[in-house]
Amino acid sequence: MSATASPHAVRLPGDPPGGPRAWWVWGIGVAVYFVAVTFRTSLGVAGLDAAHRFDINASALSSFSILQLLVYAGMQIPVGLLVDRWGTRRILLLGILLFTAGQFGFALSASYGTALASRALLGCGDAMTFIAVLRLGARWFPARRGPVIAQVAALIGMAGNLVTTLVLARVLESLGWTATFAGSAAGGLVILALVVFFLRDHPEGHEPPAAPKAEGTGAGFIRRQIGAAWREPGTRAGMWVHFTCQFPGMVFLLLWGMPFLVEAQGLDKGTAGELLTLVVVSNMCCGLVYGQVIARHHAARTPLVLGTVVATALVWAAAIAWPGKDPMWLLVVLCVVLGACGPGSMIGFDFSRPANPPERHGTASGIVNMGGFTASMTTLFAVGVLLDLTGDNYRIAFASVFVLQALGLVQFARLRGRAVRRERERVVASRVEAVHVPV
């Protein structure tokens, strides 16, 4: 095998066939994720409106997103276990019910406490979507398609963010708070019907192996499942990739980008919204490129991760260190580079997927996905507190990003070598198995 070849180039025994039906079923799952992202990021264009509606300061405003991400991050491992146990369809149905109820509750909230509870409910439902979609792709497509399938899922999710910045922001301005959020909640009911009638966990003849009865239930099984996934260096390396890459773009899009562009840079809301849209468009373009590159050249994972983190740090530093207000060209470059954060974080799943057998994919994906959202939650809190302490000094507040980037890079560098060695051992074993399978 060449140094740049994908370890999934060989079709392994039991690989799902893919095909048109796989795309249809998987597309329904991705549509659920699309709606969840639309609801998740809706606060990003409504942050200033929320501050006025509930009469809150920067720290309290950040609490919306922090609580939402706290619930999301805390749910990742339990959701991974449930996906491995119950399958995709049940988890997606539960997720839709929760995030739709949360969005509708947010629309009707008249107090800060009620609004917080609604965002927590939304975060709980949102947490059930992406891991389930990754599992769905693994059950319906051959393993060699994994990198592209994962990046395309993230790309379509970002299209939900695009709807937020292009449509929801304008609807909010014209129709007001309640009508905007309640109307968007109707999308959850539409996608619920599609999942009920058309989504299936796996193609016929490709049922996952049942866990032995002695090991398939109880706290002992949960501990063994989590422990086995965590012991794989590929799982932990993937978690730190997700941790390091995702959070700058997430923090900017989810909450602090709009206030930074309007309050610190003096832009009007329309121009700021266009820049946030540029982040989303860049994310979608980078996702297509990253997925194709990794599918063809598996060794490109590390250079893409490092390039994404370094580019983000350099442009972020330039934006907060520029004397006075940033020129428009620098803000454009910042938004383009931040668009690569999401696709860069997805590479974490390309480290964890080959490190774990199919029956542990949900659990391992939950561990990886927890990384970026933990970093995002921490940074959202840090920025809000620093803004209040420094009198809305975005330079100081946004500098907190560099601390977590440094931590993530150190941990990834520590684990990467072991992860790659273990992966090579598994590739060799898979090739030997494929050669010796009886016809």
mmCIF file of all heavy atoms in Angstrom, residues 385-433:
data_model
loop_
_atom_site.group_PDB
_atom_site.id
_atom_site.type_symbol
_atom_site.label_atom_id
_atom_site.label_comp_id
_atom_site.label_asym_id
_atom_site.label_seq_id
_atom_site.Cartn_x
_atom_site.Cartn_y
_atom_site.Cartn_z
ATOM 1 N N VAL A 385 -17.451 36.423 29.999
ATOM 2 C CA VAL A 385 -16.928 36.936 31.264
ATOM 3 C C VAL A 385 -15.892 38.034 31.004
ATOM 4 O O VAL A 385 -15.914 39.101 31.641
ATOM 5 C CB VAL A 385 -16.311 35.792 32.089
ATOM 6 C CG1 VAL A 385 -15.543 36.344 33.286
ATOM 7 C CG2 VAL A 385 -17.398 34.839 32.563
ATOM 8 N N LEU A 386 -14.979 37.796 30.058
ATOM 9 C CA LEU A 386 -13.938 38.787 29.772
ATOM 10 C C LEU A 386 -14.519 40.075 29.192
ATOM 11 O O LEU A 386 -14.012 41.171 29.470
ATOM 12 C CB LEU A 386 -12.900 38.189 28.815
ATOM 13 C CG LEU A 386 -12.004 37.104 29.423
ATOM 14 C CD1 LEU A 386 -11.157 36.425 28.348
ATOM 15 C CD2 LEU A 386 -11.098 37.709 30.503
ATOM 16 N N LEU A 387 -15.567 39.968 28.400
ATOM 17 C CA LEU A 387 -16.211 41.178 27.886
ATOM 18 C C LEU A 387 -16.796 42.011 29.020
ATOM 19 O O LEU A 387 -16.670 43.248 29.037
ATOM 20 C CB LEU A 387 -17.297 40.814 26.877
ATOM 21 C CG LEU A 387 -16.841 40.363 25.494
ATOM 22 C CD1 LEU A 387 -18.035 39.902 24.664
ATOM 23 C CD2 LEU A 387 -16.107 41.485 24.767
ATOM 24 N N ASP A 388 -17.425 41.360 29.987
ATOM 25 C CA ASP A 388 -17.988 42.095 31.119
ATOM 26 C C ASP A 388 -16.891 42.704 31.993
ATOM 27 O O ASP A 388 -17.021 43.833 32.484
ATOM 28 C CB ASP A 388 -18.862 41.169 31.959
ATOM 29 C CG ASP A 388 -20.209 40.892 31.299
ATOM 30 O OD1 ASP A 388 -20.633 41.706 30.452
ATOM 31 O OD2 ASP A 388 -20.830 39.863 31.623
ATOM 32 N N LEU A 389 -15.788 41.963 32.183
ATOM 33 C CA LEU A 389 -14.708 42.452 33.050
ATOM 34 C C LEU A 389 -13.902 43.582 32.416
ATOM 35 O O LEU A 389 -13.351 44.428 33.128
ATOM 36 C CB LEU A 389 -13.762 41.291 33.401
ATOM 37 C CG LEU A 389 -14.319 40.203 34.329
ATOM 38 C CD1 LEU A 389 -13.309 39.083 34.508
ATOM 39 C CD2 LEU A 389 -14.710 40.793 35.685
ATOM 40 N N THR A 390 -13.813 43.591 31.090
ATOM 41 C CA THR A 390 -12.953 44.568 30.407
ATOM 42 C C THR A 390 -13.728 45.685 29.723
ATOM 43 O O THR A 390 -13.136 46.467 28.974
ATOM 44 C CB THR A 390 -12.083 43.861 29.349
ATOM 45 O OG1 THR A 390 -12.951 43.234 28.373
ATOM 46 C CG2 THR A 390 -11.199 42.796 29.982
ATOM 47 N N GLY A 391 -15.034 45.756 29.964
ATOM 48 C CA GLY A 391 -15.809 46.798 29.311
ATOM 49 C C GLY A 391 -15.943 46.575 27.820
ATOM 50 O O GLY A 391 -15.714 47.493 27.019
ATOM 51 N N ASP A 392 -16.268 45.344 27.420
ATOM 52 C CA ASP A 392 -16.476 44.969 26.010
ATOM 53 C C ASP A 392 -15.209 45.138 25.165
ATOM 54 O O ASP A 392 -15.262 45.605 24.022
ATOM 55 C CB ASP A 392 -17.614 45.793 25.397
ATOM 56 C CG ASP A 392 -18.966 45.425 25.980
ATOM 57 O OD1 ASP A 392 -19.089 44.320 26.522
ATOM 58 O OD2 ASP A 392 -19.894 46.253 25.899
ATOM 59 N N ASN A 393 -14.076 44.721 25.720
ATOM 60 C CA ASN A 393 -12.825 44.732 24.970
ATOM 61 C C ASN A 393 -12.687 43.376 24.247
ATOM 62 O O ASN A 393 -12.292 42.380 24.849
ATOM 63 C CB ASN A 393 -11.633 44.946 25.900
ATOM 64 C CG ASN A 393 -10.331 45.164 25.149
ATOM 65 O OD1 ASN A 393 -10.083 44.539 24.118
ATOM 66 N ND2 ASN A 393 -9.495 46.049 25.659
ATOM 67 N N TYR A 394 -13.043 43.366 22.969
ATOM 68 C CA TYR A 394 -13.035 42.110 22.211
ATOM 69 C C TYR A 394 -11.621 41.587 21.984
ATOM 70 O O TYR A 394 -11.436 40.376 21.793
ATOM 71 C CB TYR A 394 -13.746 42.304 20.881
ATOM 72 C CG TYR A 394 -15.252 42.238 20.994
ATOM 73 C CD1 TYR A 394 -15.994 43.386 21.248
ATOM 74 C CD2 TYR A 394 -15.927 41.030 20.879
ATOM 75 C CE1 TYR A 394 -17.378 43.335 21.371
ATOM 76 C CE2 TYR A 394 -17.310 40.963 21.003
ATOM 77 C CZ TYR A 394 -18.030 42.119 21.248
ATOM 78 O OH TYR A 394 -19.398 42.060 21.378
ATOM 79 N N ARG A 395 -10.632 42.457 21.978
ATOM 80 C CA ARG A 395 -9.256 41.984 21.764
ATOM 81 C C ARG A 395 -8.832 41.050 22.885
ATOM 82 O O ARG A 395 -8.262 39.982 22.640
ATOM 83 C CB ARG A 395 -8.304 43.187 21.689
ATOM 84 C CG ARG A 395 -8.494 44.045 20.455
ATOM 85 C CD ARG A 395 -7.445 45.129 20.386
ATOM 86 N NE ARG A 395 -7.625 45.953 19.184
ATOM 87 C CZ ARG A 395 -6.820 46.936 18.833
ATOM 88 N NH1 ARG A 395 -5.774 47.240 19.592
ATOM 89 N NH2 ARG A 395 -7.047 47.635 17.746
ATOM 90 N N ILE A 396 -9.087 41.463 24.111
ATOM 91 C CA ILE A 396 -8.715 40.618 25.251
ATOM 92 C C ILE A 396 -9.597 39.369 25.294
ATOM 93 O O ILE A 396 -9.113 38.249 25.490
ATOM 94 C CB ILE A 396 -8.830 41.411 26.561
ATOM 95 C CG1 ILE A 396 -7.807 42.554 26.566
ATOM 96 C CG2 ILE A 396 -8.627 40.499 27.760
ATOM 97 C CD1 ILE A 396 -7.918 43.474 27.767
ATOM 98 N N ALA A 397 -10.893 39.556 25.110
ATOM 99 C CA ALA A 397 -11.816 38.424 25.216
ATOM 100 C C ALA A 397 -11.539 37.369 24.158
ATOM 101 O O ALA A 397 -11.514 36.163 24.451
ATOM 102 C CB ALA A 397 -13.258 38.930 25.103
ATOM 103 N N PHE A 398 -11.307 37.793 22.921
ATOM 104 C CA PHE A 398 -11.081 36.837 21.838
ATOM 105 C C PHE A 398 -9.705 36.169 21.915
ATOM 106 O O PHE A 398 -9.490 35.129 21.297
ATOM 107 C CB PHE A 398 -11.251 37.537 20.487
ATOM 108 C CG PHE A 398 -12.676 37.581 19.992
ATOM 109 C CD1 PHE A 398 -13.733 37.417 20.864
ATOM 110 C CD2 PHE A 398 -12.964 37.797 18.658
ATOM 111 C CE1 PHE A 398 -15.053 37.459 20.422
ATOM 112 C CE2 PHE A 398 -14.277 37.832 18.196
ATOM 113 C CZ PHE A 398 -15.325 37.667 19.086
ATOM 114 N N ALA A 399 -8.788 36.746 22.684
ATOM 115 C CA ALA A 399 -7.464 36.120 22.832
ATOM 116 C C ALA A 399 -7.543 34.802 23.588
ATOM 117 O O ALA A 399 -6.601 33.985 23.535
ATOM 118 C CB ALA A 399 -6.509 37.075 23.542
ATOM 119 N N SER A 400 -8.654 34.536 24.287
ATOM 120 C CA SER A 400 -8.809 33.270 25.013
ATOM 121 C C SER A 400 -8.787 32.070 24.072
ATOM 122 O O SER A 400 -8.524 30.937 24.504
ATOM 123 C CB SER A 400 -10.118 33.281 25.805
ATOM 124 O OG SER A 400 -11.231 33.479 24.947
ATOM 125 N N VAL A 401 -9.037 32.299 22.790
ATOM 126 C CA VAL A 401 -9.025 31.211 21.804
ATOM 127 C C VAL A 401 -7.663 30.520 21.751
ATOM 128 O O VAL A 401 -7.576 29.291 21.617
ATOM 129 C CB VAL A 401 -9.397 31.766 20.413
ATOM 130 C CG1 VAL A 401 -9.026 30.787 19.302
ATOM 131 C CG2 VAL A 401 -10.883 32.093 20.355
ATOM 132 N N PHE A 402 -6.581 31.277 21.895
ATOM 133 C CA PHE A 402 -5.241 30.719 21.708
ATOM 134 C C PHE A 402 -4.880 29.704 22.787
ATOM 135 O O PHE A 402 -4.104 28.781 22.539
ATOM 136 C CB PHE A 402 -4.194 31.834 21.675
ATOM 137 C CG PHE A 402 -4.462 32.869 20.627
ATOM 138 C CD1 PHE A 402 -4.553 34.212 20.954
ATOM 139 C CD2 PHE A 402 -4.638 32.502 19.299
ATOM 140 C CE1 PHE A 402 -4.810 35.165 19.987
ATOM 141 C CE2 PHE A 402 -4.892 33.448 18.320
ATOM 142 C CZ PHE A 402 -4.981 34.787 18.666
ATOM 143 N N VAL A 403 -5.445 29.852 23.980
ATOM 144 C CA VAL A 403 -5.139 28.926 25.075
ATOM 145 C C VAL A 403 -5.621 27.513 24.727
ATOM 146 O O VAL A 403 -4.866 26.530 24.854
ATOM 147 C CB VAL A 403 -5.788 29.412 26.389
ATOM 148 C CG1 VAL A 403 -5.539 28.396 27.504
ATOM 149 C CG2 VAL A 403 -5.262 30.782 26.771
ATOM 150 N N LEU A 404 -6.849 27.409 24.252
ATOM 151 C CA LEU A 404 -7.391 26.085 23.935
ATOM 152 C C LEU A 404 -6.763 25.506 22.669
ATOM 153 O O LEU A 404 -6.602 24.288 22.556
ATOM 154 C CB LEU A 404 -8.903 26.165 23.783
ATOM 155 C CG LEU A 404 -9.682 26.529 25.055
ATOM 156 C CD1 LEU A 404 -11.173 26.369 24.830
ATOM 157 C CD2 LEU A 404 -9.246 25.693 26.238
ATOM 158 N N GLN A 405 -6.415 26.357 21.724
ATOM 159 C CA GLN A 405 -5.728 25.850 20.538
ATOM 160 C C GLN A 405 -4.392 25.213 20.915
ATOM 161 O O GLN A 405 -4.034 24.151 20.404
ATOM 162 C CB GLN A 405 -5.503 26.979 19.531
ATOM 163 C CG GLN A 405 -6.742 27.355 18.740
ATOM 164 C CD GLN A 405 -6.442 28.368 17.660
ATOM 165 O OE1 GLN A 405 -5.671 29.320 17.878
ATOM 166 N NE2 GLN A 405 -7.026 28.209 16.496
ATOM 167 N N ALA A 406 -3.640 25.863 21.801
ATOM 168 C CA ALA A 406 -2.345 25.315 22.230
ATOM 169 C C ALA A 406 -2.526 23.990 22.961
ATOM 170 O O ALA A 406 -1.792 23.016 22.713
ATOM 171 C CB ALA A 406 -1.625 26.327 23.128
ATOM 172 N N LEU A 407 -3.518 23.915 23.852
ATOM 173 C CA LEU A 407 -3.783 22.674 24.579
ATOM 174 C C LEU A 407 -4.125 21.551 23.613
ATOM 175 O O LEU A 407 -3.594 20.432 23.723
ATOM 176 C CB LEU A 407 -4.933 22.894 25.556
ATOM 177 C CG LEU A 407 -5.488 21.647 26.261
ATOM 178 C CD1 LEU A 407 -4.414 20.999 27.130
ATOM 179 C CD2 LEU A 407 -6.720 21.999 27.084
ATOM 180 N N GLY A 408 -4.993 21.807 22.654
ATOM 181 C CA GLY A 408 -5.407 20.773 21.716
ATOM 182 C C GLY A 408 -4.273 20.284 20.839
ATOM 183 O O GLY A 408 -4.147 19.073 20.583
ATOM 184 N N LEU A 409 -3.431 21.192 20.366
ATOM 185 C CA LEU A 409 -2.312 20.787 19.519
ATOM 186 C C LEU A 409 -1.328 19.898 20.272
ATOM 187 O O LEU A 409 -0.807 18.923 19.723
ATOM 188 C CB LEU A 409 -1.588 22.025 18.972
ATOM 189 C CG LEU A 409 -2.218 22.707 17.768
ATOM 190 C CD1 LEU A 409 -1.393 23.931 17.370
ATOM 191 C CD2 LEU A 409 -2.328 21.747 16.587
ATOM 192 N N VAL A 410 -1.052 20.226 21.524
ATOM 193 C CA VAL A 410 -0.126 19.419 22.324
ATOM 194 C C VAL A 410 -0.673 18.003 22.489
ATOM 195 O O VAL A 410 0.056 17.008 22.323
ATOM 196 C CB VAL A 410 0.120 20.077 23.692
ATOM 197 C CG1 VAL A 410 0.849 19.107 24.629
ATOM 198 C CG2 VAL A 410 0.936 21.353 23.532
ATOM 199 N N GLN A 411 -1.945 17.874 22.802
ATOM 200 C CA GLN A 411 -2.538 16.557 23.007
ATOM 201 C C GLN A 411 -2.593 15.752 21.708
ATOM 202 O O GLN A 411 -2.339 14.535 21.700
ATOM 203 C CB GLN A 411 -3.948 16.711 23.583
ATOM 204 C CG GLN A 411 -3.984 17.289 24.982
ATOM 205 C CD GLN A 411 -3.270 16.415 25.986
ATOM 206 O OE1 GLN A 411 -3.306 15.185 25.906
ATOM 207 N NE2 GLN A 411 -2.592 17.036 26.933
ATOM 208 N N PHE A 412 -2.912 16.405 20.598
ATOM 209 C CA PHE A 412 -2.948 15.702 19.316
ATOM 210 C C PHE A 412 -1.556 15.207 18.936
ATOM 211 O O PHE A 412 -1.392 14.060 18.478
ATOM 212 C CB PHE A 412 -3.491 16.627 18.228
ATOM 213 C CG PHE A 412 -3.421 16.039 16.846
ATOM 214 C CD1 PHE A 412 -4.133 14.891 16.523
ATOM 215 C CD2 PHE A 412 -2.635 16.616 15.861
ATOM 216 C CE1 PHE A 412 -4.077 14.335 15.260
ATOM 217 C CE2 PHE A 412 -2.566 16.076 14.586
ATOM 218 C CZ PHE A 412 -3.283 14.925 14.283
ATOM 219 N N ALA A 413 -0.546 16.037 19.138
ATOM 220 C CA ALA A 413 0.828 15.631 18.821
ATOM 221 C C ALA A 413 1.258 14.434 19.668
ATOM 222 O O ALA A 413 1.984 13.549 19.197
ATOM 223 C CB ALA A 413 1.782 16.808 19.052
ATOM 224 N N ARG A 414 0.784 14.380 20.893
ATOM 225 C CA ARG A 414 1.144 13.280 21.787
ATOM 226 C C ARG A 414 0.526 11.957 21.348
ATOM 227 O O ARG A 414 1.125 10.889 21.525
ATOM 228 C CB ARG A 414 0.690 13.637 23.211
ATOM 229 C CG ARG A 414 1.063 12.633 24.281
ATOM 230 C CD ARG A 414 0.648 13.149 25.649
ATOM 231 N NE ARG A 414 -0.794 13.241 25.784
ATOM 232 C CZ ARG A 414 -1.579 12.226 26.162
ATOM 233 N NH1 ARG A 414 -1.041 11.026 26.400
ATOM 234 N NH2 ARG A 414 -2.868 12.395 26.279
ATOM 235 N N LEU A 415 -0.671 11.993 20.768
ATOM 236 C CA LEU A 415 -1.416 10.768 20.465
ATOM 237 C C LEU A 415 -1.328 10.324 19.011
ATOM 238 O O LEU A 415 -1.602 9.163 18.700
ATOM 239 C CB LEU A 415 -2.892 10.982 20.819
ATOM 240 C CG LEU A 415 -3.206 11.087 22.312
ATOM 241 C CD1 LEU A 415 -4.572 11.703 22.521
ATOM 242 C CD2 LEU A 415 -3.131 9.714 22.964
ATOM 243 N N ARG A 416 -0.977 11.220 18.103
ATOM 244 C CA ARG A 416 -1.079 10.934 16.683
ATOM 245 C C ARG A 416 -0.260 9.720 16.269
ATOM 246 O O ARG A 416 -0.730 8.843 15.533
ATOM 247 C CB ARG A 416 -0.649 12.148 15.867
ATOM 248 C CG ARG A 416 -0.666 11.880 14.367
ATOM 249 C CD ARG A 416 0.095 12.920 13.587
ATOM 250 N NE ARG A 416 0.326 12.453 12.227
ATOM 251 C CZ ARG A 416 1.313 11.669 11.846
ATOM 252 N NH1 ARG A 416 2.196 11.235 12.749
ATOM 253 N NH2 ARG A 416 1.449 11.285 10.594
ATOM 254 N N GLY A 417 1.002 9.632 16.718
ATOM 255 C CA GLY A 417 1.874 8.544 16.302
ATOM 256 C C GLY A 417 1.312 7.183 16.664
ATOM 257 O O GLY A 417 1.285 6.257 15.848
ATOM 258 N N ARG A 418 0.812 7.058 17.906
ATOM 259 C CA ARG A 418 0.239 5.795 18.339
ATOM 260 C C ARG A 418 -1.030 5.460 17.549
ATOM 261 O O ARG A 418 -1.275 4.300 17.206
ATOM 262 C CB ARG A 418 -0.095 5.866 19.838
ATOM 263 C CG ARG A 418 1.102 5.612 20.747
ATOM 264 C CD ARG A 418 0.690 5.662 22.197
ATOM 265 N NE ARG A 418 0.549 7.024 22.675
ATOM 266 C CZ ARG A 418 -0.010 7.352 23.842
ATOM 267 N NH1 ARG A 418 -0.502 6.404 24.618
ATOM 268 N NH2 ARG A 418 -0.077 8.605 24.227
ATOM 269 N N ALA A 419 -1.818 6.482 17.252
ATOM 270 C CA ALA A 419 -3.052 6.241 16.496
ATOM 271 C C ALA A 419 -2.749 5.718 15.095
ATOM 272 O O ALA A 419 -3.394 4.781 14.619
ATOM 273 C CB ALA A 419 -3.862 7.544 16.417
ATOM 274 N N VAL A 420 -1.776 6.305 14.432
ATOM 275 C CA VAL A 420 -1.431 5.885 13.074
ATOM 276 C C VAL A 420 -0.866 4.472 13.067
ATOM 277 O O VAL A 420 -1.198 3.659 12.198
ATOM 278 C CB VAL A 420 -0.436 6.882 12.448
ATOM 279 C CG1 VAL A 420 0.105 6.350 11.121
ATOM 280 C CG2 VAL A 420 -1.107 8.233 12.229
ATOM 281 N N ARG A 421 -0.030 4.137 14.052
ATOM 282 C CA ARG A 421 0.527 2.781 14.112
ATOM 283 C C ARG A 421 -0.564 1.745 14.321
ATOM 284 O O ARG A 421 -0.569 0.700 13.662
ATOM 285 C CB ARG A 421 1.572 2.700 15.239
ATOM 286 C CG ARG A 421 2.896 3.361 14.905
ATOM 287 C CD ARG A 421 3.974 2.974 15.906
ATOM 288 N NE ARG A 421 3.655 3.451 17.245
ATOM 289 C CZ ARG A 421 3.992 4.645 17.719
ATOM 290 N NH1 ARG A 421 4.638 5.511 16.936
ATOM 291 N NH2 ARG A 421 3.681 4.998 18.948
ATOM 292 N N ARG A 422 -1.481 2.011 15.232
ATOM 293 C CA ARG A 422 -2.579 1.071 15.472
ATOM 294 C C ARG A 422 -3.457 0.918 14.227
ATOM 295 O O ARG A 422 -3.926 -0.158 13.909
ATOM 296 C CB ARG A 422 -3.435 1.574 16.639
ATOM 297 C CG ARG A 422 -2.801 1.372 18.002
ATOM 298 C CD ARG A 422 -3.035 -0.015 18.531
ATOM 299 N NE ARG A 422 -4.448 -0.221 18.882
ATOM 300 C CZ ARG A 422 -4.981 -1.409 19.106
ATOM 301 N NH1 ARG A 422 -4.239 -2.496 18.971
ATOM 302 N NH2 ARG A 422 -6.267 -1.530 19.432
ATOM 303 N N GLU A 423 -3.657 2.002 13.532
ATOM 304 C CA GLU A 423 -4.489 1.963 12.330
ATOM 305 C C GLU A 423 -3.850 1.103 11.255
ATOM 306 O O GLU A 423 -4.522 0.328 10.574
ATOM 307 C CB GLU A 423 -4.705 3.392 11.827
ATOM 308 C CG GLU A 423 -5.726 3.505 10.723
ATOM 309 C CD GLU A 423 -5.990 4.957 10.385
ATOM 310 O OE1 GLU A 423 -6.369 5.718 11.303
ATOM 311 O OE2 GLU A 423 -5.804 5.335 9.215
ATOM 312 N N ARG A 424 -2.537 1.224 11.076
ATOM 313 C CA ARG A 424 -1.838 0.394 10.092
ATOM 314 C C ARG A 424 -1.968 -1.083 10.433
ATOM 315 O O ARG A 424 -2.149 -1.928 9.550
ATOM 316 C CB ARG A 424 -0.370 0.795 10.036
ATOM 317 C CG ARG A 424 -0.120 2.130 9.324
ATOM 318 C CD ARG A 424 1.318 2.549 9.452
ATOM 319 N NE ARG A 424 1.562 3.830 8.784
ATOM 320 C CZ ARG A 424 2.634 4.586 8.984
ATOM 321 N NH1 ARG A 424 3.562 4.178 9.860
ATOM 322 N NH2 ARG A 424 2.773 5.721 8.337
ATOM 323 N N GLU A 425 -1.875 -1.412 11.722
ATOM 324 C CA GLU A 425 -2.034 -2.807 12.127
ATOM 325 C C GLU A 425 -3.427 -3.316 11.762
ATOM 326 O O GLU A 425 -3.588 -4.446 11.288
ATOM 327 C CB GLU A 425 -1.811 -2.932 13.642
ATOM 328 C CG GLU A 425 -0.377 -2.642 14.078
ATOM 329 C CD GLU A 425 -0.260 -2.506 15.593
ATOM 330 O OE1 GLU A 425 -1.302 -2.685 16.281
ATOM 331 O OE2 GLU A 425 0.849 -2.208 16.083
ATOM 332 N N ARG A 426 -4.452 -2.495 11.965
ATOM 333 C CA ARG A 426 -5.820 -2.909 11.647
ATOM 334 C C ARG A 426 -6.019 -3.057 10.143
ATOM 335 O O ARG A 426 -6.741 -3.941 9.688
ATOM 336 C CB ARG A 426 -6.818 -1.891 12.200
ATOM 337 C CG ARG A 426 -6.938 -1.925 13.712
ATOM 338 C CD ARG A 426 -7.987 -0.933 14.193
ATOM 339 N NE ARG A 426 -8.136 -0.997 15.638
ATOM 340 C CZ ARG A 426 -8.910 -1.851 16.284
ATOM 341 N NH1 ARG A 426 -9.611 -2.737 15.593
ATOM 342 N NH2 ARG A 426 -8.989 -1.840 17.596
ATOM 343 N N VAL A 427 -5.392 -2.186 9.356
ATOM 344 C CA VAL A 427 -5.511 -2.277 7.899
ATOM 345 C C VAL A 427 -4.928 -3.589 7.402
ATOM 346 O O VAL A 427 -5.514 -4.281 6.568
ATOM 347 C CB VAL A 427 -4.813 -1.078 7.231
ATOM 348 C CG1 VAL A 427 -4.721 -1.290 5.732
ATOM 349 C CG2 VAL A 427 -5.560 0.193 7.533
ATOM 350 N N VAL A 428 -3.753 -3.954 7.929
ATOM 351 C CA VAL A 428 -3.129 -5.208 7.517
ATOM 352 C C VAL A 428 -4.025 -6.381 7.874
ATOM 353 O O VAL A 428 -4.249 -7.292 7.067
ATOM 354 C CB VAL A 428 -1.742 -5.357 8.185
ATOM 355 C CG1 VAL A 428 -1.182 -6.755 7.941
ATOM 356 C CG2 VAL A 428 -0.788 -4.309 7.644
ATOM 357 N N ALA A 429 -4.584 -6.366 9.086
ATOM 358 C CA ALA A 429 -5.463 -7.458 9.511
ATOM 359 C C ALA A 429 -6.710 -7.533 8.627
ATOM 360 O O ALA A 429 -7.162 -8.623 8.260
ATOM 361 C CB ALA A 429 -5.861 -7.257 10.973
ATOM 362 N N SER A 430 -7.269 -6.386 8.256
ATOM 363 C CA SER A 430 -8.463 -6.367 7.410
ATOM 364 C C SER A 430 -8.162 -6.911 6.024
ATOM 365 O O SER A 430 -8.964 -7.629 5.432
ATOM 366 C CB SER A 430 -9.006 -4.934 7.294
ATOM 367 O OG SER A 430 -9.423 -4.468 8.554
ATOM 368 N N ARG A 431 -7.002 -6.581 5.479
ATOM 369 C CA ARG A 431 -6.633 -7.074 4.159
ATOM 370 C C ARG A 431 -6.446 -8.596 4.180
ATOM 371 O O ARG A 431 -6.877 -9.298 3.254
ATOM 372 C CB ARG A 431 -5.357 -6.398 3.669
ATOM 373 C CG ARG A 431 -5.580 -4.962 3.242
ATOM 374 C CD ARG A 431 -4.267 -4.304 2.853
ATOM 375 N NE ARG A 431 -4.510 -2.979 2.317
ATOM 376 C CZ ARG A 431 -4.677 -2.687 1.043
ATOM 377 N NH1 ARG A 431 -4.627 -3.668 0.154
ATOM 378 N NH2 ARG A 431 -4.890 -1.457 0.639
ATOM 379 N N VAL A 432 -5.832 -9.096 5.246
ATOM 380 C CA VAL A 432 -5.644 -10.547 5.355
ATOM 381 C C VAL A 432 -7.005 -11.227 5.450
ATOM 382 O O VAL A 432 -7.266 -12.241 4.810
ATOM 383 C CB VAL A 432 -4.788 -10.874 6.598
ATOM 384 C CG1 VAL A 432 -4.799 -12.376 6.854
ATOM 385 C CG2 VAL A 432 -3.361 -10.377 6.377
ATOM 386 N N GLU A 433 -7.913 -10.645 6.232
ATOM 387 C CA GLU A 433 -9.259 -11.223 6.364
ATOM 388 C C GLU A 433 -9.980 -11.222 5.023
ATOM 389 O O GLU A 433 -10.637 -12.200 4.646
ATOM 390 C CB GLU A 433 -10.061 -10.418 7.389
ATOM 391 C CG GLU A 433 -11.468 -10.956 7.613
ATOM 392 C CD GLU A 433 -12.259 -10.081 8.561
ATOM 393 O OE1 GLU A 433 -11.709 -9.092 9.069
ATOM 394 O OE2 GLU A 433 -13.444 -10.401 8.758
#
